Amino acid sequence: TVSFSRASLVLTLAAVLEMWRKFTKEEHIRSHAKVKSSEQRGIRARVIEQYPALEEHIEDILPKKSDLYVCKCTESRQVILDPSGEFIFFQCRSGPFIPTLRLLHRYPDILPKYQVDRGAIRFVLSGANIMSPGLTSTGGRMDDVPAESIIAVYAEGKEHALAIGVTTLSTETIRSENKGVAVENTHYLKDGLWLLRRHGEAAA
């Protein structure tokens, strides 16, 4: 389970979601540059620490012998690119590396899973935060995680994740209280990050 302190995430989430809504290369990417080898080793190590299930795939995702490029964005945000130039992780300030949906679709077991009921799908895809009743209803389900955990958001009847978010409460509390915002939505299908896909190229 990937979990971080609320203090390190609360400002990060609002800023990240707002940028991804209308993310464009021209407006939000300030630089695209190769990182030093020491920084590359540090990023690889931190990704493995945060997502142990990726350790066996790290050479495919961030190969040691390939240069690593990072896009520095507005508001102290950065996006990590794979060797093909596709966006694979994003980060705000010194917060956690959060996978993009495209990477999550390749490695679906790296994050705990939440499932919303059918009625919540259109709200999630508009960037709305996820309310507790959408997870505790008949069509919802949740892995057990503490508050402030990064999770994959699935939908009833759908195969692939449609969003990535951070829990505001523990799963236990969501079930018992069944009210209020349960997950802050940070990245969702067809937002600006999904559509841009890679540096210098629009998604098909």
Side-chain angles (χ1 to χ4, degrees):
T1 300
V2 185
S3 183
F4 298 87
S5 71
R6 186 66 175 168
S8 70
L9 285 174
V10 66
L11 295 177
T12 299
L13 294 176
V16 165
L17 178 57
E18 186 58 33
M19 184 173 78
W20 293 160
R21 288 184 193 277
K22 298 180 179 179
F23 184 62
T24 64
K25 175 184 175 182
E26 295 76 17
E27 186 177 354
H28 296 103
I29 296 179
R30 290 183 169 173
S31 67
H32 169 248
K34 182 175 69 174
V35 303
K36 296 178 180 179
S37 57
S38 58
E39 186 177 353
Q40 181 173 351
R41 288 194 297 272
I43 290 172
R44 279 172 52 101
R46 192 167 177 195
V47 166
I48 292 171
E49 179 185 7
Q50 292 177 15
Y51 306 101
L54 284 180
E55 184 168 12
E56 62 182 296
H57 306 291
I58 198 67
E59 272 302 305
D60 297 323
I61 300 168
L62 296 171
K64 280 184 181 179
K65 295 184 178 180
S66 294
D67 293 331
L68 176 63
Y69 284 83
V70 171
C71 287
K72 299 288 187 180
C73 304
T74 55
E75 303 296 332
S76 302
R77 289 159 286 197
Q78 66 176 354
V79 183
I80 310 300
L81 282 62
D82 72 6
S84 74
E86 185 165 292
F87 302 140
I88 54 174
F89 291 98
F90 57 91
Q91 181 190 35
C92 187
R93 299 181 177 87
S94 59
F97 286 108
I98 299 178
T100 63
L101 277 167
R102 292 186 186 278
L103 183 71
L104 181 64
H105 289 173
R106 288 163 54 192
Y107 304 101
D109 295 325
I110 62 174
L111 290 176
K113 298 176 175 66
Y114 273 29
Q115 178 176 294
V116 298
D117 61 28
R118 294 179 189 275
I121 295 175
R122 65 188 179 94
F123 298 105
V124 175
L125 293 179
S126 71
N129 291 329
I130 299 165
M131 308 303 287
S132 295
L135 295 162
T136 58
S137 65
T138 303
R141 61 178 175 80
M142 297 175 283
D143 288 343
D144 289 315
V145 297
E148 289 86 52
S149 294
I150 300 171
I151 55 97
V153 181
Y154 288 76
E156 182 182 8
K158 304 295 183 181
E159 179 182 359
H160 300 293
L162 70 159
I164 292 172
V166 177
T167 59
T168 63
L169 305 165
S170 68
T171 303
E172 181 181 6
T173 302
I174 294 170
R175 289 194 182 108
S176 62
E177 295 187 356
N178 196 28
K179 62 181 180 180
V181 174
V183 179
E184 295 196 36
N185 190 349
T186 64
H187 170 37
Y188 55 94
L189 286 176
K190 302 299 177 71
D191 67 6
L193 183 62
W194 172 272
L195 292 173
L196 187 57
R197 183 172 184 168
R198 65 181 71 238
H199 183 261
E201 180 179 326

